[in-house]
Amino acid sequence: MVVVGGFRELGIGGDLITAVDGQKVADGEALQHALDRKRGGDTLSLTINRSGRTMKIDVKLGEAPRVL
């Protein structure tokens, strides 16, 4: 973990999602709202930062398992 701005902890490594479907993602809540508008089988267009490089990727959402 690294502390950003004196209060925000971020994990080290992996991808940092900066936008979903062209809309800036400022925090985990914004990301959750974007996911709440989607269903299994939908595709998200993500803008990510990976190792200092910004790139766009498309991610197809899977179906949630059924609860019996």
Side-chain angles (χ1 to χ4, degrees), residues 39-43 60-63:
R39 305 181 105 181
D42 288 349
T43 300
K60 185 174 182 178
L61 299 177
E63 297 286 338

Side-chain angles (χ1 to χ4, degrees), residues 2-59:
V2 65
V3 177
V4 178
F7 67 93
R8 183 154 197 162
E9 292 183 359
L10 295 175
I12 301 295
D15 299 336
L16 176 65
I17 299 171
T18 59
V20 176
D21 293 334
Q23 300 297 312
K24 185 177 178 180
V25 172
D27 55 30
E29 188 173 320
L31 178 58
Q32 186 61 54
H33 285 290
L35 290 171
D36 288 345
R37 293 189 298 269
K38 299 291 185 172
R39 305 181 105 181
D42 288 349
T43 300
L44 292 172
S45 177
L46 301 179
T47 303
I48 63 169
N49 183 295
R50 179 180 291 168
S51 301
R53 290 183 47 218
T54 297
M55 58 183 70
K56 293 184 179 185
I57 60 171
D58 290 330
V59 177

